[in-house]
Every structure is written in structure tokens, then in C-alpha cells.
Amino acid sequence: QVQLVESGGGLVQPGGSLRLSCAASGSIFSIAVMGWYRQAPGKQRELVATITSGGLTNVVDSVKGRFTISRDNAKNTVYLQMNSLKSEDTAVYYCNLNLVHLGYVYDYWGQGTQVTVSS
């Protein structure tokens, strides 16, 4: 069983920065693809960024150049550095662990952390 615990959300002014963290329990973190997703009020959950076990990253166009995803396998933690925040970045941000290994599919979600960008 894997548990994901996000932290680092909060209220920030436009143009500000936040760093989200997601700490994972269990032994499969280092070989899993980790992702950050977000869901704004009245909208569907959407992908923000992913990072493979080897550190290859993918960031969606709407946050490219502003958000950076990284991971520390020694700490079982994935991060999302968010700079130049805009009001449209306001959402609940969720951490996801995804892995297909030895015929098993692992897909876990954190509880989410609220990010509010407002003056």
C-alpha cells in the first residue's frame, strides 16, 4: 500500500511562488512515474507535470517556463516548484504515483492541497 501526502499549498499573490511537496510511503516510489494534477472549481482534473523514475520531465504548455517538477528518490518525495503564479493556477493540486510492474498496476492519489492565487 502506498500513501501520498501533499504539502506546501496556500494563498499567494499573483506573480508569487510556491513549492509543493508530495511524500510517498512504500518501496516503489523510485521506479514509479510521479505526476502533479490540478482541479479548479467546476472543471475536470488536468495534468500539470510528470517525471519518470530516471528524471525525464513533461510539463504542460500552460505552465511551461513557470513550473518545474523534480524528485528526490532518497526522500521518496516529488516536488512542484511554481513561479510567476497566475489567478488561473488556482486549484486543488494532487500528487499521483503510477507504475506498471510485474503485471500489477499501481495508481495512487494524494488527498490534494489547495493553491489560491489572489491579491
Side-chain angles (χ1 to χ4, degrees):
Q1 188 73 8
V2 172
Q3 288 188 325
L4 303 175
V5 180
E6 299 107 331
S7 61
L11 173 64
V12 63
Q13 292 186 342
S17 297
L18 283 175
R19 188 175 82 153
L20 305 183
S21 300
C22 172
S25 64
S27 60
I28 63 172
F29 175 87
S30 64
I31 61 173
V33 175
M34 298 301 298
W36 285 99
Y37 292 72
R38 66 185 181 185
Q39 187 167 18
K43 295 187 177 181
Q44 290 188 329
R45 190 172 299 188
E46 64 176 4
L47 173 68
V48 176
T50 59
I51 184 166
T52 68
S53 58
L56 294 176
T57 62
N58 177 57
V59 180
V60 298
D61 287 345
S62 60
V63 304
K64 195 165 290 185
R66 300 188 297 122
F67 290 12
T68 303
I69 187 170
S70 62
R71 67 191 295 162
D72 185 337
N73 288 339
K75 296 182 178 180
N76 273 20
T77 301
V78 62
Y79 305 97
L80 185 68
Q81 178 66 44
M82 306 186 294
N83 299 327
S84 302
L85 282 160
K86 306 175 181 180
S87 58
E88 51 261 45
D89 296 318
T90 295
V92 178
Y93 284 71
Y94 296 91
C95 176
N96 173 258
L97 180 150
N98 188 273
L99 172 68
V100 179
H101 184 60
L102 299 178
Y104 289 93
V105 177
Y106 301 86
D107 189 57
Y108 294 96
W109 293 90
Q111 82 287 352
T113 186
Q114 176 71 47
V115 172
T116 303
V117 184
S118 176
S119 54

